[in-house]
């Protein structure tokens, strides 16, 4: 089947209905306009198509479906009974059926399934794109502001602060060691005092019971200390 004959037939039929050809992507792919809509058309020339072939054609269209408001596939008359209307409608892709053997140009092409128009992806993301552009401008402004800052004085101040902190830590460690030594000396002095007190008590306890509480013993100790 000739692609040129099929394309010529479809172009004439579409032009009569107000379509305008915008671009030709390949021998089998046309971009048209219909009012404010952009329309993608893929032409199939398989004379004896199969179910898998039709699905493959649909898959090829879906690769860039969301770049156009409408999308169609034009199949030859022999594919009519193989078209799964539910499958095409769910993907919002329309179907044209053309017959090269027809002598009536008006009836040579039929819109079997209309394409359901969609809003272009670029239009949907226009607001998001604007926000992204604004964020990029803000980021560039921040980068420029940071690049103009002289960080050398800040680096010097940071180094000085680091040195001061290290000296303070060293002094604190020395103080902690001194306090620890003083605590140890205090505990040792306290232990010696306790031992001395316990020694005096033990001497008094060595006297016989009849002398331990006798007041004359204290008098004699004083005299002995004075004569000594």
């Amino acid at each position: 089947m000739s692609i040129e004959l099929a394309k010529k037939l479809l172009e004439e039929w579409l032009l009569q209905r107000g379509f305008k050809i915008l671009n030709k992507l390949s021998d089998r792919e046309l971009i048209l306009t219909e009012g404010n809509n952009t329309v993608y058309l893929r032409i199939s020339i398989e004379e004896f198509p199969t179910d898998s072939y039709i699905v493959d054609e649909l898959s090829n269209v879906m690769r860039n479906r969301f770049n156009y408001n409408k999308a169609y596939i034009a199949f030859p008359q022999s594919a009519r009974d193989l078209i799964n209307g539910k499958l095409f409608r769910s993907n919002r892709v329309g179907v044209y059926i053309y017959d090269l053997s027809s002598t009536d140009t008006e009836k040579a092409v039929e819109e079997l399934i209309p394409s359901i128009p969609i809003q272009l992806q670029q239009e949907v993301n226009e607001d998001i794109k604007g926000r992204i552009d604004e964020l990029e401008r803000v980021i560039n402004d921040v980068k420029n502001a940071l690049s103009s800052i002289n960080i050398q004085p800040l680096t010097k101040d940071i180094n000085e602060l680091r040195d001061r902190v290290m000296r303070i830590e060293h002094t604190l460690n020395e103080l902690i060691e001194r306090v620890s030594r003083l605590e140890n000396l205090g505990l040792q002095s306290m232990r010696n005092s306790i031992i001395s007190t316990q020694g005096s008590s033990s001497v008094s306890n060595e006297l016989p019971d009849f002398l331990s509480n006798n007041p004359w013993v204290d008098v004699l100790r004083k005299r002995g200390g004075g004569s000594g």
Side-chain angles (χ1 to χ4, degrees):
M1 185 178 294
S2 171
I3 182 62
E4 293 300 328
L5 291 177
K7 185 164 60 175
K8 182 179 179 181
L9 175 65
L10 288 162
E11 286 179 357
E12 290 179 357
W13 187 85
L14 291 168
L15 290 173
Q16 289 175 2
R17 281 155 181 78
F19 287 80
K20 294 180 180 180
I21 299 175
L22 185 64
N23 192 11
K24 296 182 180 181
L25 300 180
S26 67
D27 290 341
R28 296 179 54 194
E29 295 174 297
L30 299 176
I31 306 300
L32 307 102
T33 58
E34 180 193 22
N36 294 326
N37 294 321
T38 57
V39 183
Y40 171 88
L41 173 63
R42 183 178 180 85
I43 304 172
S44 172
I45 57 172
E46 180 62 39
E47 190 172 359
F48 301 104
T50 62
D51 290 334
S52 60
Y53 173 82
I54 292 174
V55 172
D56 288 341
E57 288 289 89
L58 178 60
S59 298
N60 289 327
V61 172
M62 293 307 298
R63 291 175 182 174
N64 54 5
R65 171 66 184 92
F66 295 99
N67 293 328
Y68 307 98
N69 298 111
K70 293 183 177 182
Y72 283 89
I73 303 178
F75 289 103
Q77 181 69 26
S78 56
R80 176 186 291 272
D81 295 334
L82 299 176
I83 302 300
N84 185 333
K86 184 177 180 180
L87 177 63
F88 278 83
R89 290 188 183 93
S90 64
N91 288 284
R92 301 187 178 188
V93 176
V95 174
Y96 290 128
I97 297 295
Y98 64 90
D99 184 4
L100 293 180
S101 63
S102 176
T103 56
D104 188 347
T105 306
E106 289 292 324
K107 297 181 180 179
V109 180
E110 175 189 353
E111 185 182 31
L112 184 65
I113 300 175
S115 174
I116 301 174
I118 62 173
Q119 191 174 18
L120 292 185
Q121 192 173 25
Q122 291 90 334
E123 295 175 358
V124 173
N125 293 333
E126 185 176 354
D127 182 54
I128 296 176
K129 185 178 182 299
R131 294 181 183 181
I132 292 174
D133 292 340
E134 180 63 25
L135 286 174
E136 289 179 347
R137 285 194 293 270
V138 172
I139 291 171
N140 289 330
D141 291 342
V142 172
K143 286 181 178 179
N144 294 332
L146 289 175
S147 62
S148 62
I149 295 175
N150 185 5
I151 64 172
Q152 290 183 352
L154 295 177
T155 304
K156 182 180 178 181
D157 292 341
I158 291 172
N159 291 332
E160 290 180 356
L161 288 174
R162 185 185 296 111
D163 293 339
R164 290 182 182 180
V165 170
M166 291 177 65
R167 288 196 297 269
I168 291 172
E169 289 180 348
H170 180 71
T171 302
L172 286 175
N173 290 332
E174 288 184 345
L175 289 174
I176 291 171
E177 291 179 0
R178 291 182 182 179
V179 170
S180 179
R181 287 197 297 269
L182 289 173
E183 287 178 348
N184 292 333
L185 290 174
L187 290 173
Q188 184 64 36
S189 177
M190 186 179 296
R191 283 196 294 268
N192 292 338
S193 178
I194 293 172
I195 292 171
S196 177
T197 303
Q198 289 177 346
S200 300
S201 299
S202 63
V203 171
S204 298
N205 292 334
E206 289 177 359
L207 293 174
D209 292 339
F210 66 90
L211 293 178
S212 60
N213 294 321
N214 196 316
W216 289 101
V217 174
D218 291 332
V219 174
L220 291 173
R221 283 179 178 172
K222 293 177 180 178
R223 288 184 178 182
S227 63

PDB file of all heavy atoms in Angstrom, residues 20-21 41 46 49 77 87 96 99 103 130-132 165 176 178 183 186 197 202-203 213 218:
ATOM      1  N   LYS A  20      -5.280  22.595   9.230  1.00  0.00           N
ATOM      2  CA  LYS A  20      -4.133  23.163   8.533  1.00  0.00           C
ATOM      3  C   LYS A  20      -2.889  22.359   8.886  1.00  0.00           C
ATOM      4  O   LYS A  20      -2.691  21.992  10.044  1.00  0.00           O
ATOM      5  CB  LYS A  20      -3.926  24.630   8.939  1.00  0.00           C
ATOM      6  CG  LYS A  20      -5.053  25.545   8.504  1.00  0.00           C
ATOM      7  CD  LYS A  20      -4.786  26.983   8.931  1.00  0.00           C
ATOM      8  CE  LYS A  20      -5.931  27.890   8.492  1.00  0.00           C
ATOM      9  NZ  LYS A  20      -5.690  29.306   8.899  1.00  0.00           N
ATOM     10  N   ILE A  21      -2.077  22.074   7.861  1.00  0.00           N
ATOM     11  CA  ILE A  21      -0.853  21.301   8.092  1.00  0.00           C
ATOM     12  C   ILE A  21       0.213  22.221   8.671  1.00  0.00           C
ATOM     13  O   ILE A  21       0.582  23.225   8.068  1.00  0.00           O
ATOM     14  CB  ILE A  21      -0.359  20.647   6.782  1.00  0.00           C
ATOM     15  CG1 ILE A  21      -1.424  19.678   6.257  1.00  0.00           C
ATOM     16  CG2 ILE A  21       0.959  19.920   7.026  1.00  0.00           C
ATOM     17  CD1 ILE A  21      -1.088  19.076   4.899  1.00  0.00           C
ATOM     18  N   LEU A  41      -1.109  13.215  13.861  1.00  0.00           N
ATOM     19  CA  LEU A  41      -1.698  12.151  13.050  1.00  0.00           C
ATOM     20  C   LEU A  41      -0.612  11.172  12.614  1.00  0.00           C
ATOM     21  O   LEU A  41       0.394  11.576  12.023  1.00  0.00           O
ATOM     22  CB  LEU A  41      -2.390  12.728  11.809  1.00  0.00           C
ATOM     23  CG  LEU A  41      -2.903  11.701  10.786  1.00  0.00           C
ATOM     24  CD1 LEU A  41      -3.974  10.809  11.404  1.00  0.00           C
ATOM     25  CD2 LEU A  41      -3.430  12.397   9.531  1.00  0.00           C
ATOM     26  N   GLU A  46      -0.367  -0.703   6.941  1.00  0.00           N
ATOM     27  CA  GLU A  46      -0.358  -2.172   6.969  1.00  0.00           C
ATOM     28  C   GLU A  46      -1.676  -2.689   6.374  1.00  0.00           C
ATOM     29  O   GLU A  46      -2.759  -2.426   6.904  1.00  0.00           O
ATOM     30  CB  GLU A  46      -0.192  -2.660   8.405  1.00  0.00           C
ATOM     31  CG  GLU A  46      -0.160  -4.162   8.551  1.00  0.00           C
ATOM     32  CD  GLU A  46       1.014  -4.800   7.822  1.00  0.00           C
ATOM     33  OE1 GLU A  46       2.128  -4.220   7.834  1.00  0.00           O
ATOM     34  OE2 GLU A  46       0.817  -5.880   7.235  1.00  0.00           O
ATOM     35  N   PRO A  49      -3.422  -5.762   9.002  1.00  0.00           N
ATOM     36  CA  PRO A  49      -2.944  -5.540  10.371  1.00  0.00           C
ATOM     37  C   PRO A  49      -3.440  -6.633  11.332  1.00  0.00           C
ATOM     38  O   PRO A  49      -4.429  -7.316  11.062  1.00  0.00           O
ATOM     39  CB  PRO A  49      -3.549  -4.187  10.731  1.00  0.00           C
ATOM     40  CG  PRO A  49      -4.782  -4.098   9.906  1.00  0.00           C
ATOM     41  CD  PRO A  49      -4.457  -4.806   8.612  1.00  0.00           C
ATOM     42  N   GLN A  77      -9.011   0.397   5.720  1.00  0.00           N
ATOM     43  CA  GLN A  77     -10.330  -0.202   5.925  1.00  0.00           C
ATOM     44  C   GLN A  77     -10.243  -1.603   6.529  1.00  0.00           C
ATOM     45  O   GLN A  77     -11.109  -2.008   7.311  1.00  0.00           O
ATOM     46  CB  GLN A  77     -11.064  -0.261   4.566  1.00  0.00           C
ATOM     47  CG  GLN A  77     -12.457  -0.844   4.597  1.00  0.00           C
ATOM     48  CD  GLN A  77     -13.445   0.056   5.316  1.00  0.00           C
ATOM     49  OE1 GLN A  77     -13.254   1.262   5.368  1.00  0.00           O
ATOM     50  NE2 GLN A  77     -14.492  -0.541   5.866  1.00  0.00           N
ATOM     51  N   LEU A  87      -9.989   0.718  24.392  1.00  0.00           N
ATOM     52  CA  LEU A  87      -8.557   0.945  24.565  1.00  0.00           C
ATOM     53  C   LEU A  87      -8.153   2.319  24.040  1.00  0.00           C
ATOM     54  O   LEU A  87      -7.410   3.067  24.698  1.00  0.00           O
ATOM     55  CB  LEU A  87      -7.765  -0.151  23.840  1.00  0.00           C
ATOM     56  CG  LEU A  87      -6.237  -0.018  23.868  1.00  0.00           C
ATOM     57  CD1 LEU A  87      -5.716  -0.109  25.297  1.00  0.00           C
ATOM     58  CD2 LEU A  87      -5.597  -1.095  22.989  1.00  0.00           C
ATOM     59  N   TYR A  96      -8.997   7.228  12.550  1.00  0.00           N
ATOM     60  CA  TYR A  96      -9.561   7.443  11.207  1.00  0.00           C
ATOM     61  C   TYR A  96      -9.457   6.128  10.445  1.00  0.00           C
ATOM     62  O   TYR A  96      -8.452   5.401  10.555  1.00  0.00           O
ATOM     63  CB  TYR A  96      -8.792   8.518  10.440  1.00  0.00           C
ATOM     64  CG  TYR A  96      -8.983   9.930  10.958  1.00  0.00           C
ATOM     65  CD1 TYR A  96      -7.880  10.721  11.260  1.00  0.00           C
ATOM     66  CD2 TYR A  96     -10.254  10.477  11.098  1.00  0.00           C
ATOM     67  CE1 TYR A  96      -8.047  12.026  11.716  1.00  0.00           C
ATOM     68  CE2 TYR A  96     -10.429  11.778  11.551  1.00  0.00           C
ATOM     69  CZ  TYR A  96      -9.320  12.548  11.860  1.00  0.00           C
ATOM     70  OH  TYR A  96      -9.479  13.825  12.310  1.00  0.00           O
ATOM     71  N   ASP A  99     -10.160   4.479   2.974  1.00  0.00           N
ATOM     72  CA  ASP A  99     -10.345   3.460   1.934  1.00  0.00           C
ATOM     73  C   ASP A  99      -9.825   4.028   0.613  1.00  0.00           C
ATOM     74  O   ASP A  99     -10.452   4.914   0.013  1.00  0.00           O
ATOM     75  CB  ASP A  99     -11.830   3.098   1.827  1.00  0.00           C
ATOM     76  CG  ASP A  99     -12.083   1.974   0.830  1.00  0.00           C
ATOM     77  OD1 ASP A  99     -11.101   1.424   0.288  1.00  0.00           O
ATOM     78  OD2 ASP A  99     -13.275   1.664   0.597  1.00  0.00           O
ATOM     79  N   THR A 103     -14.133   5.951  -4.602  1.00  0.00           N
ATOM     80  CA  THR A 103     -14.087   7.011  -5.616  1.00  0.00           C
ATOM     81  C   THR A 103     -14.678   8.322  -5.092  1.00  0.00           C
ATOM     82  O   THR A 103     -14.550   9.363  -5.735  1.00  0.00           O
ATOM     83  CB  THR A 103     -14.865   6.576  -6.864  1.00  0.00           C
ATOM     84  OG1 THR A 103     -16.205   6.241  -6.496  1.00  0.00           O
ATOM     85  CG2 THR A 103     -14.212   5.359  -7.512  1.00  0.00           C
ATOM     86  N   GLY A 130       7.229  29.010  36.008  1.00  0.00           N
ATOM     87  CA  GLY A 130       7.468  30.374  36.486  1.00  0.00           C
ATOM     88  C   GLY A 130       8.067  30.382  37.882  1.00  0.00           C
ATOM     89  O   GLY A 130       8.971  31.168  38.185  1.00  0.00           O
ATOM     90  N   ARG A 131       7.569  29.494  38.737  1.00  0.00           N
ATOM     91  CA  ARG A 131       8.103  29.417  40.100  1.00  0.00           C
ATOM     92  C   ARG A 131       9.552  28.935  40.095  1.00  0.00           C
ATOM     93  O   ARG A 131      10.378  29.416  40.870  1.00  0.00           O
ATOM     94  CB  ARG A 131       7.241  28.482  40.949  1.00  0.00           C
ATOM     95  CG  ARG A 131       5.817  28.994  41.176  1.00  0.00           C
ATOM     96  CD  ARG A 131       5.024  28.044  42.043  1.00  0.00           C
ATOM     97  NE  ARG A 131       3.656  28.495  42.202  1.00  0.00           N
ATOM     98  CZ  ARG A 131       2.746  27.854  42.934  1.00  0.00           C
ATOM     99  NH1 ARG A 131       3.082  26.740  43.566  1.00  0.00           N
ATOM    100  NH2 ARG A 131       1.519  28.319  43.029  1.00  0.00           N
ATOM    101  N   ILE A 132       9.837  27.969  39.239  1.00  0.00           N
ATOM    102  CA  ILE A 132      11.212  27.460  39.144  1.00  0.00           C
ATOM    103  C   ILE A 132      12.152  28.558  38.681  1.00  0.00           C
ATOM    104  O   ILE A 132      13.264  28.715  39.206  1.00  0.00           O
ATOM    105  CB  ILE A 132      11.267  26.246  38.196  1.00  0.00           C
ATOM    106  CG1 ILE A 132      10.518  25.050  38.808  1.00  0.00           C
ATOM    107  CG2 ILE A 132      12.715  25.864  37.891  1.00  0.00           C
ATOM    108  CD1 ILE A 132      10.390  23.869  37.891  1.00  0.00           C
ATOM    109  N   VAL A 165      39.586  29.150  73.159  1.00  0.00           N
ATOM    110  CA  VAL A 165      38.870  28.003  73.730  1.00  0.00           C
ATOM    111  C   VAL A 165      39.848  26.928  74.177  1.00  0.00           C
ATOM    112  O   VAL A 165      39.693  26.325  75.257  1.00  0.00           O
ATOM    113  CB  VAL A 165      37.871  27.434  72.695  1.00  0.00           C
ATOM    114  CG1 VAL A 165      37.291  26.105  73.171  1.00  0.00           C
ATOM    115  CG2 VAL A 165      36.752  28.428  72.438  1.00  0.00           C
ATOM    116  N   ILE A 176      41.171  21.622  87.753  1.00  0.00           N
ATOM    117  CA  ILE A 176      40.577  20.353  88.201  1.00  0.00           C
ATOM    118  C   ILE A 176      41.617  19.483  88.889  1.00  0.00           C
ATOM    119  O   ILE A 176      41.362  18.867  89.940  1.00  0.00           O
ATOM    120  CB  ILE A 176      39.955  19.610  87.003  1.00  0.00           C
ATOM    121  CG1 ILE A 176      38.722  20.369  86.503  1.00  0.00           C
ATOM    122  CG2 ILE A 176      39.576  18.185  87.374  1.00  0.00           C
ATOM    123  CD1 ILE A 176      38.161  19.857  85.203  1.00  0.00           C
ATOM    124  N   ARG A 178      44.345  20.558  90.454  1.00  0.00           N
ATOM    125  CA  ARG A 178      44.679  21.185  91.740  1.00  0.00           C
ATOM    126  C   ARG A 178      43.606  20.902  92.781  1.00  0.00           C
ATOM    127  O   ARG A 178      43.912  20.571  93.939  1.00  0.00           O
ATOM    128  CB  ARG A 178      44.855  22.690  91.557  1.00  0.00           C
ATOM    129  CG  ARG A 178      46.090  23.077  90.754  1.00  0.00           C
ATOM    130  CD  ARG A 178      46.208  24.583  90.658  1.00  0.00           C
ATOM    131  NE  ARG A 178      47.363  24.974  89.841  1.00  0.00           N
ATOM    132  CZ  ARG A 178      47.692  26.243  89.582  1.00  0.00           C
ATOM    133  NH1 ARG A 178      46.948  27.241  90.079  1.00  0.00           N
ATOM    134  NH2 ARG A 178      48.748  26.522  88.842  1.00  0.00           N
ATOM    135  N   GLU A 183      41.761  18.146  97.656  1.00  0.00           N
ATOM    136  CA  GLU A 183      40.794  17.236  98.292  1.00  0.00           C
ATOM    137  C   GLU A 183      41.493  16.034  98.888  1.00  0.00           C
ATOM    138  O   GLU A 183      41.182  15.588 100.001  1.00  0.00           O
ATOM    139  CB  GLU A 183      39.760  16.791  97.259  1.00  0.00           C
ATOM    140  CG  GLU A 183      38.767  17.880  96.877  1.00  0.00           C
ATOM    141  CD  GLU A 183      37.788  17.405  95.823  1.00  0.00           C
ATOM    142  OE1 GLU A 183      38.038  16.322  95.245  1.00  0.00           O
ATOM    143  OE2 GLU A 183      36.790  18.100  95.586  1.00  0.00           O
ATOM    144  N   GLY A 186      43.249  17.148 102.094  1.00  0.00           N
ATOM    145  CA  GLY A 186      42.276  17.353 103.164  1.00  0.00           C
ATOM    146  C   GLY A 186      41.809  16.045 103.759  1.00  0.00           C
ATOM    147  O   GLY A 186      41.691  15.905 104.978  1.00  0.00           O
ATOM    148  N   THR A 197      43.351  11.281 117.615  1.00  0.00           N
ATOM    149  CA  THR A 197      42.310  11.316 118.645  1.00  0.00           C
ATOM    150  C   THR A 197      42.062   9.930 119.205  1.00  0.00           C
ATOM    151  O   THR A 197      41.916   9.727 120.415  1.00  0.00           O
ATOM    152  CB  THR A 197      41.012  11.882 118.064  1.00  0.00           C
ATOM    153  OG1 THR A 197      41.256  13.181 117.531  1.00  0.00           O
ATOM    154  CG2 THR A 197      39.929  11.976 119.130  1.00  0.00           C
ATOM    155  N   SER A 202      42.918   5.802 123.584  1.00  0.00           N
ATOM    156  CA  SER A 202      43.392   4.465 123.956  1.00  0.00           C
ATOM    157  C   SER A 202      44.309   4.516 125.175  1.00  0.00           C
ATOM    158  O   SER A 202      44.313   3.621 126.008  1.00  0.00           O
ATOM    159  CB  SER A 202      44.114   3.815 122.769  1.00  0.00           C
ATOM    160  OG  SER A 202      45.259   4.573 122.424  1.00  0.00           O
ATOM    161  N   VAL A 203      45.102   5.642 125.321  1.00  0.00           N
ATOM    162  CA  VAL A 203      45.981   5.783 126.504  1.00  0.00           C
ATOM    163  C   VAL A 203      45.165   5.913 127.781  1.00  0.00           C
ATOM    164  O   VAL A 203      45.471   5.328 128.812  1.00  0.00           O
ATOM    165  CB  VAL A 203      46.916   7.002 126.327  1.00  0.00           C
ATOM    166  CG1 VAL A 203      47.670   7.283 127.609  1.00  0.00           C
ATOM    167  CG2 VAL A 203      47.871   6.761 125.185  1.00  0.00           C
ATOM    168  N   ASN A 213      38.828   7.721 136.529  1.00  0.00           N
ATOM    169  CA  ASN A 213      37.944   8.839 136.831  1.00  0.00           C
ATOM    170  C   ASN A 213      38.392   9.600 138.097  1.00  0.00           C
ATOM    171  O   ASN A 213      37.629  10.404 138.630  1.00  0.00           O
ATOM    172  CB  ASN A 213      36.512   8.351 137.026  1.00  0.00           C
ATOM    173  CG  ASN A 213      35.920   7.782 135.738  1.00  0.00           C
ATOM    174  OD1 ASN A 213      36.176   8.338 134.679  1.00  0.00           O
ATOM    175  ND2 ASN A 213      35.162   6.711 135.852  1.00  0.00           N
ATOM    176  N   ASP A 218      44.596  13.906 137.204  1.00  0.00           N
ATOM    177  CA  ASP A 218      44.775  15.107 136.367  1.00  0.00           C
ATOM    178  C   ASP A 218      45.704  16.082 137.076  1.00  0.00           C
ATOM    179  O   ASP A 218      46.570  16.731 136.423  1.00  0.00           O
ATOM    180  CB  ASP A 218      43.435  15.785 136.099  1.00  0.00           C
ATOM    181  CG  ASP A 218      42.558  14.918 135.193  1.00  0.00           C
ATOM    182  OD1 ASP A 218      43.135  14.130 134.382  1.00  0.00           O
ATOM    183  OD2 ASP A 218      41.312  15.062 135.249  1.00  0.00           O
TER     184      ASP A 218
END
